[in-house]
């Protein structure tokens, strides 16, 4: 009966605007029970009458609300079985649309002749289904039709280099970069916010025509596309349907994100590139001779799922070799509901490699997205380049930070009054946000602000608008020592959380706190690089805990790449550059590496390329010590996966762990998905009863994620891609609290592409350990070291 007490109290407080109050207690309610309960309560009869009247109004309002909700048009993605009769080649698109329209309720089909077409997209390559504007009632009617599989409301996904090729060990005159011909002949499909086609990074100087397999098209003027940008299309039907986008869009990039990611993956050589004078040098993408196919699916920060699917559908049909997706959801869903996972499976079935950003929700565990085992999930790390800006206090203490904006002759290079902007909380109040500095004397002073929800650059704008002269932006505890070089709007530096605490303590220790900002320009050689960025999302994998995610880390902090508009104060107006941070930046780095590997190993499967990247990765930084995270402590595998990408080693990995598309089906059966759910992913009928399902850890994955109570045994098969007549010996660095046995402990090959199978037994020991422990297995020959990292969860 407790819920009635709460309900009456809520109604008494909230009065008749109480449809939400009723919903909270899961109506319908039993009125006789309510009356009985009221009589048992010591309430005045008049109050009882008021409560009953209020309750009846609220229930009526809730009922009306439910009816309204059922008739509201929403964008749904609908999965259906493939038609039994094959569609004719000549009219395939028309036949698909006709088949998909047959699922629409009759009254909806009638509307299709009017101005608003309910069918938004009819997908042909990456899912069996369509997206449409439908009501909840339409979906309920559709469920009764033969061939209907499932439907869910569209989700909205979010958008998540002069020096990085050198940092990655790529050299123009020799080695892997030259041997791969800089990715020549490979097509990278970039799903993002479009592109600025006339930027110098996209010149086709020295580029060959696209391969004969290319079937895409250019929605720019015919002269705008070239041998670099061979295709450019825009998909915003769903965005227009939801009023996110107001008109049919061209593939032109309006906010810079898509231009930045495309040039990171495959931008050409551009001399004298810089951003506000910082990071000067020759800008170039990872695969500078690869072709680009651009699919604009984001309009502002939002990327409707239907538009993304349409872009993926086109990319697969067009003939790309690599797909780069710097997008992600905030929360994971099962793979059969994850349309990026579903579409990516269709891509790998056609031999297309898919690279995805893991997300920017770090440093918290369980936040990694895009975690399907058939995609490469990319986390973000630093490079050894910093754009240094030092905060010097009145007590002569100095704290190194970063800022892309490095004004010459700044009046704040000498000591100036320093003021703290106020305490912080999760809602960003008193954190240098709009209105928070009202009443504070900040004019001409250096203002200490704390990071929060508001963007870093926006905080500087607030300080500037309030009359402040300069800003020290301190990290909050989760960001630790991770810094970004931003194009601030006033003299500024971003410093670590530890530095910020010391600066606050100094302010509180004196009546006249003072500070100066010393701008020291571009500095290369940070010995702790690479380190994991604080924002980079972390494992464990919440969808499939037996698959370790993310897979790899790559450069994603303060990345210089092409931009759409000149930065304020920039002299480069024709082909501007900017620095950005995020897993959106690390993802195209790995897309470019995959393109280089595809160029040198055209017959490798997507899984083989992925294996080569993972098993050759580095676990140590430039100093030769373990890679650290934002706390400057050794990073765990949930932060860095198999380690930091080493492209040259990936080109000659020795052994690979290969997986064919059909090999994922027993794994999916082992996840407990139904035949129908797996059929959505596999794009065809599946019967798990006829297949031997396997546990997650039995998939031939290049890493191990083990849930360990009783002992566990898994097998792996490696393929020799190194040298004939080679032997490898197993080297084990066992996770703390775990015994690891490898059988056989030695494997030998007589020829190339020969396979060998081994088993690994994991047993719990008496050694004390925390919830998780980590180590690795490496197969070592005279030339190669092929490492598979191990993450153990004790249960």
């Amino acid at each position: 009966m407790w819920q009635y007490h709460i309900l009456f109290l809520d109604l008494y407080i909230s009065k008749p605007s109480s449809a939400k109050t009723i919903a909270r207690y899961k109506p319908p309610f039993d009125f006789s029970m309510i009356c009985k309960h009221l009589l048992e309560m010591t309430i005045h009869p008049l109050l009882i009458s008021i409560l009953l009247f209020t309750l009846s109004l609220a229930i009526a309002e809730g009922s009306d609300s439910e009816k309204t909700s059922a008739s509201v048009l929403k964008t749904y993605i609908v999965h259906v079985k493939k038609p039994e009769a094959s569609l004719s080649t000549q009219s395939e698109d028309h036949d698909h649309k006709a088949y998909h329209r047959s699922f629409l309720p009759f009254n909806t089909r009638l509307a299709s002749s009017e101005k608003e077409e309910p069918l938004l997209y009819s997908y042909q390559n990456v899912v069996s289904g369509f997206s449409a504007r439908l009501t909840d009632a339409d979906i309920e009617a559709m469920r009764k039709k033969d061939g209907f599989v499932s439907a869910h409301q569209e989700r909205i996904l979010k958008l998540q280099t002069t020096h990085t090729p050198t940092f990655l060990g790529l050299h123009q005159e020799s080695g892997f970069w030259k041997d791969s011909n800089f990715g020549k002949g490979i097509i990278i499909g970039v799903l993002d916010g479009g592109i600025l086609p006339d930027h110098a990074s996209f010149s086709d100087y020295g580029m060959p025509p696209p391969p004969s397999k290319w079937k895409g098209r250019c929605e720019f003027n015919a002269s705008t596309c070239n041998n670099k940008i061979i295709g450019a299309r825009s998909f915003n039907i769903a965005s227009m349907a939801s009023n996110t986008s107001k008109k049919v869009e061209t593939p032109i990039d309006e906010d810079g994100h898509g231009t930045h990611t495309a040039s990171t993956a495959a931008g050409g050589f551009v001399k004298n590139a810089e951003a506000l004078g910082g990071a000067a040098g020759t800008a170039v993408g990872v695969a500078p001779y690869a072709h680009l196919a651009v699919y604009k699916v984001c309009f502002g920060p939002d990327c409707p799922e239907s538009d993304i699917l349409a872009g993926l559908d086109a990319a697969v049909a067009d003939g790309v070799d690599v797909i780069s997706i710097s997008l992600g959801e905030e929360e994971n869903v099962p793979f059969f509901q994850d349309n990026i996972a579903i579409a990516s499976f269709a891509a790998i079935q056609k031999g297309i490699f898919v690279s995805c950003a893991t997300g920017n929700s770090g440093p918290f565990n369980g936040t990694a997205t895009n975690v399907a085992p058939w995609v490469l999930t990319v986390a973000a790390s630093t490079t050894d380049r910093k754009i240094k800006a030092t905060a010097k206090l009145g007590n002569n203490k100095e704290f190194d930070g970063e800022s892309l904006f490095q004004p010459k002759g700044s009046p704040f290079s000498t000591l100036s009054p320093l003021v703290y902007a106020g305490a912080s909380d999760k809602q960003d109040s008193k954190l240098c946000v709009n209105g928070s500095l009202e009443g504070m004397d900040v004019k001409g002073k250096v203002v200490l602000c704390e990071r929060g929800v508001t963007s870093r650059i926006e905080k500087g704008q607030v300080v500037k608008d309030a009359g402040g002269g300069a800003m020290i932006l301190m990290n909050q505890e989760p960001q630790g020592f991770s810094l970004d070089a931003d194009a601030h709007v006033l003299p500024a530096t971003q410093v670590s959380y530890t530095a910020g605490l010391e600066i606050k303590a100094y302010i509180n220790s004196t009546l006249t706190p003072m500070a100066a900002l010393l701008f020291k320009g571009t500095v290369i050689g940070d010995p702790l690089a690479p380190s994991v960025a604080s924002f980079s999302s972390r494992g464990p994998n919440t969808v499939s805990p037996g698959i370790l995610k993310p897979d790899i880390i790559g450069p994603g902090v303060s990345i210089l790449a092409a931009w759409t508009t000149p930065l304020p104060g920039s002299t480069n107006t024709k082909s501007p550059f900017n620095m950005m941070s995020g897993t959106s930046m690390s993802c195209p780095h790995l897309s470019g590496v995959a393109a280089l590997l595809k160029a040198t190993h055209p017959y490798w499967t997507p899984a083989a390329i992925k294996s080569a990247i993972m098993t050759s990765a580095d676990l140590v930084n430039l100093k030769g010590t373990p890679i650290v995270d934002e706390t400057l402590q050794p990073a765990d595998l949930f932060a860095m996966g198999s380690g930091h990408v080493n492209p040259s080693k990936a080109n000659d990995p020795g052994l690979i762990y290969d997986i064919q598309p059909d090999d994922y089906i027993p794994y999916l059966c082992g996840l407990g998905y139904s035949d129908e759910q797996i059929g959505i992913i596999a794009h065809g009928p599946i019967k798990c009863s006829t297949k031997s399902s396997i546990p997650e850890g039995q998939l031939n994955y290049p890493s191990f994620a083990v849930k360990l109570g009783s002992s566990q045994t898994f097998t792996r098969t490696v393929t020799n891609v190194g040298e004939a007549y080679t032997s490898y010996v197993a080297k084990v660095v066992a996770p703390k609290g775990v015994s690891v046995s490898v059988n056989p402990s030695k494997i030998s090959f007589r020829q190339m592409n020969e396979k060998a199978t081994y088993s690994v037994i994991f047993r719990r020991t008496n050694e004390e350990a925390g919830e998780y422990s980590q180590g690795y297995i490496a197969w070592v020959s005279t030339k190669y070291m092929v490492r598979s990292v191990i993450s153990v969860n004790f249960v």
Side-chain angles (χ1 to χ4, degrees):
M1 294 296 179
W2 61 268
Q3 67 266 38
Y4 289 116
H5 285 91
I6 299 172
L7 170 63
F8 296 139
L9 180 62
D10 266 8
L11 285 168
Y12 185 69
I13 294 170
S14 60
K15 302 300 187 264
S17 60
S18 305
K20 290 182 179 178
T21 299
I22 297 295
R24 203 179 310 160
Y25 303 98
K26 297 182 180 178
F29 289 95
D30 185 336
F31 264 95
S32 62
M33 180 65 73
I34 290 174
C35 292
K36 180 173 181 255
H37 190 64
L38 281 170
L39 292 172
E40 292 171 358
M41 297 170 65
T42 54
I43 299 177
H44 192 280
L46 180 59
L47 182 55
I48 291 175
S49 300
I50 293 170
L51 284 171
L52 285 173
F53 177 69
T54 303
L55 182 61
S56 65
L57 285 177
I59 290 175
E61 181 185 339
S63 175
D64 289 343
S65 175
E66 288 177 13
K67 289 177 183 176
T68 303
S69 175
S71 61
V72 170
L73 283 172
K74 306 167 190 173
T75 301
Y76 278 91
I77 294 173
V78 182
H79 294 272
V80 297
K81 293 180 181 177
K82 289 184 177 179
E84 293 182 7
S86 61
L87 301 175
S88 63
T89 305
Q90 290 184 338
S91 58
E92 190 170 350
D93 183 57
H94 178 270
D95 288 352
H96 265 97
K97 285 184 177 178
Y99 172 62
H100 291 154
R101 277 201 181 98
S102 71
F103 286 90
L104 302 178
F106 183 70
N107 61 319
T108 308
R109 273 180 274 164
L110 288 178
S112 66
S113 60
E114 299 172 5
K115 185 177 180 181
E116 186 173 340
E117 161 70 84
L119 186 69
L120 302 181
Y121 294 107
S122 179
Y123 305 117
Q124 298 183 39
N125 301 291
V126 296
V127 297
S128 176
F130 58 92
S131 66
R133 297 285 288 173
L134 300 164
T135 66
D136 293 349
D138 291 334
I139 295 297
E140 287 306 310
M142 205 180 294
R143 292 185 192 279
K144 301 171 186 175
K145 293 180 177 285
D146 289 339
F148 175 86
V149 176
S150 68
H152 70 260
Q153 192 173 337
E154 171 184 74
R155 291 181 288 271
I156 303 297
L157 281 68
K158 299 290 183 180
L159 289 167
Q160 304 278 324
T161 142
T162 53
H163 183 60
T164 47
T166 302
F167 181 67
L168 292 174
L170 299 172
H171 304 287
Q172 192 169 352
E173 301 303 326
S174 63
F176 172 43
W177 214 15
K178 184 178 180 182
D179 293 345
S180 70
N181 218 346
F182 307 98
K184 185 175 286 187
I186 302 300
I187 304 169
I188 302 176
V190 179
L191 274 80
D192 211 290
I195 196 166
L196 182 66
D198 56 358
H199 194 286
S201 291
F202 308 120
S203 165
D204 66 350
Y205 178 78
M207 293 281 299
S212 58
K213 69 171 185 173
W214 174 245
K215 300 181 179 67
R217 66 176 187 260
C218 180
E219 292 178 0
F220 292 129
N221 294 332
S223 60
T224 302
C225 283
N226 55 22
N227 287 333
K228 167 57 78 174
I229 303 175
I230 60 173
R233 299 181 63 182
S234 180
F235 299 89
N236 74 320
I237 295 175
S239 183
M240 286 195 298
S242 61
N243 292 319
T244 304
S245 182
K246 302 297 183 184
K247 63 184 187 303
V248 175
E249 300 268 1
T250 69
I252 286 285
D253 181 10
E254 295 179 355
D255 63 18
H257 192 278
T259 297
H260 198 281
T261 56
S263 65
T264 299
F269 293 90
V270 181
K271 294 180 179 180
N272 302 316
E274 48 78 27
L276 299 181
T282 297
V284 62
V286 177
Y289 285 177
H291 305 285
L292 279 169
V294 175
Y295 303 88
K296 184 175 180 178
V297 296
C298 300
F299 307 89
D302 294 340
C303 315
E305 199 174 19
S306 295
D307 292 333
I308 294 169
L309 270 179
L312 285 166
D313 205 56
V316 170
D318 290 346
V320 303
D321 299 295
V322 175
I323 292 176
S324 189
I325 306 176
S326 289
L327 323 170
E329 299 184 51
E330 293 181 356
E331 294 184 3
N332 282 322
V333 293
F335 296 140
F336 58 85
Q337 293 178 352
D338 180 349
N339 280 300
I340 285 186
I342 295 166
S344 296
F345 194 87
I348 64 118
Q349 285 178 314
K350 297 182 185 301
I352 301 169
F353 185 91
V354 182
S355 173
C356 293
T358 193
N360 299 332
S361 298
F364 308 106
N365 277 6
T367 53
T369 60
N370 292 322
V371 292
W374 47 87
V375 304
L376 183 72
T377 307
V378 186
S381 55
T382 64
T383 72
D384 64 338
R385 178 183 61 198
K386 295 184 178 297
I387 316 295
K388 194 171 284 188
T390 300
K392 181 178 180 180
L393 306 183
N395 60 5
N396 286 323
K397 284 191 175 181
E398 294 188 3
F399 302 94
D400 287 336
E402 290 199 59
S403 173
L404 180 59
F405 179 49
Q406 305 248 325
K408 295 179 180 178
S410 166
F412 296 94
S413 60
T414 56
L415 290 174
S416 303
L418 170 64
V419 61
Y420 176 46
S424 66
D425 61 28
K426 291 181 180 178
Q427 280 68 47
D428 245 6
S429 65
K430 299 182 181 178
L431 273 173
C432 302
V433 295
N434 288 333
S436 66
L437 299 181
E438 289 181 7
M440 288 188 67
D441 180 16
V442 298
K443 188 171 183 179
K445 297 181 179 180
V446 180
V447 182
L448 175 64
C449 298
E450 293 188 37
R451 284 184 62 172
V453 178
T454 306
S455 79
R456 299 180 298 271
I457 295 174
E458 189 177 333
K459 285 179 179 293
Q461 186 66 55
V462 171
V463 172
K464 185 177 182 179
D465 291 345
M471 176 180 70
I472 300 173
L473 180 63
M474 66 170 280
N475 281 348
Q476 293 182 312
E477 188 171 7
Q479 291 96 37
F481 290 87
S482 279
L483 304 176
D484 302 270
D486 290 319
H488 290 291
V489 296
L490 78 174
T493 184
Q494 181 188 340
V495 299
S496 70
Y497 175 65
T498 300
L501 292 180
E502 288 200 47
I503 296 171
K504 283 203 288 186
Y506 162 71
I507 292 172
N508 293 330
S509 71
T510 177
L511 294 176
T512 57
M514 306 286 281
L517 298 184
L518 310 177
F519 297 103
K520 299 181 178 179
T522 304
V523 179
I524 291 176
D526 178 9
L528 293 182
S531 62
V532 180
S534 64
F535 59 76
S536 188
S537 293
R538 313 294 162 97
N541 186 337
T542 57
V543 183
S544 180
I547 300 295
L548 180 63
K549 290 286 180 171
D551 293 309
I552 198 78
I553 53 174
V557 178
S558 300
I559 302 302
L560 186 86
W563 199 244
T564 49
T565 55
L567 299 176
S570 174
T571 58
N572 186 351
T573 57
K574 185 176 180 182
S575 292
F577 289 84
N578 191 13
M579 275 189 165
M580 291 188 73
S581 297
T583 55
S584 281
M585 283 67 250
S586 54
C587 171
H589 276 94
L590 271 294
S591 303
V593 171
L596 299 179
L597 292 172
K598 188 82 173 175
T600 55
H601 303 282
Y603 300 109
W604 276 9
T605 65
I609 294 173
K610 182 176 172 180
S611 171
I613 290 171
M614 291 171 64
T615 61
S616 63
D618 294 327
L619 295 180
V620 296
N621 53 31
L622 294 180
K623 190 179 178 182
T625 57
I627 290 172
V628 299
D629 61 15
E630 72 287 343
T631 67
L632 299 187
Q633 297 301 308
D636 63 25
L637 300 183
F638 295 145
M640 65 176 181
S642 293
H644 188 269
V645 61
N646 186 321
S648 297
K649 285 185 179 178
N651 185 49
D652 187 17
L655 305 174
I656 56 170
Y657 293 81
D658 207 359
I659 307 174
Q660 298 299 320
D662 285 348
D663 296 338
Y664 292 104
I665 304 305
Y667 154 80
L668 292 168
C669 291
L671 289 180
Y673 294 170
S674 70
D675 292 349
E676 191 173 72
Q677 290 166 344
I678 298 172
I680 293 173
I681 301 168
H683 310 284
I686 296 294
K687 287 187 181 292
C688 284
S689 59
T690 65
K691 297 183 178 292
S692 54
S693 67
I694 59 171
E696 299 162 273
Q698 189 63 18
L699 186 67
N700 200 41
Y701 211 67
S703 60
F704 293 87
V706 183
K707 204 168 188 178
L708 192 59
S710 57
S711 66
Q712 298 276 353
T713 302
F714 299 119
T715 61
R716 292 288 190 273
T717 298
V718 290
T719 303
N720 179 29
V721 295
E723 297 174 341
Y725 297 100
T726 306
S727 294
Y728 290 81
V729 176
K731 175 186 176 183
V732 175
V733 175
K736 188 177 182 180
V738 182
S739 165
V740 180
S741 302
V742 180
N743 185 36
S745 59
K746 181 178 180 180
I747 53 177
S748 299
F749 301 94
R750 297 175 62 86
Q751 59 189 10
M752 295 287 289
N753 297 315
E754 186 179 350
K755 297 181 184 297
T757 298
Y758 68 94
S759 64
V760 188
I761 303 174
F762 300 95
R763 295 185 181 90
R764 186 77 165 89
T765 68
N766 294 327
E767 185 181 14
E768 286 193 16
E771 183 182 359
Y772 293 96
S773 187
Q774 62 187 49
Y776 65 80
I777 296 169
W779 288 103
V780 183
S781 73
T782 56
K783 181 178 179 181
Y784 300 104
M785 182 173 180
V786 186
R787 184 192 300 111
S788 291
V789 296
I790 303 167
S791 174
V792 174
N793 175 206
F794 297 108
V795 293

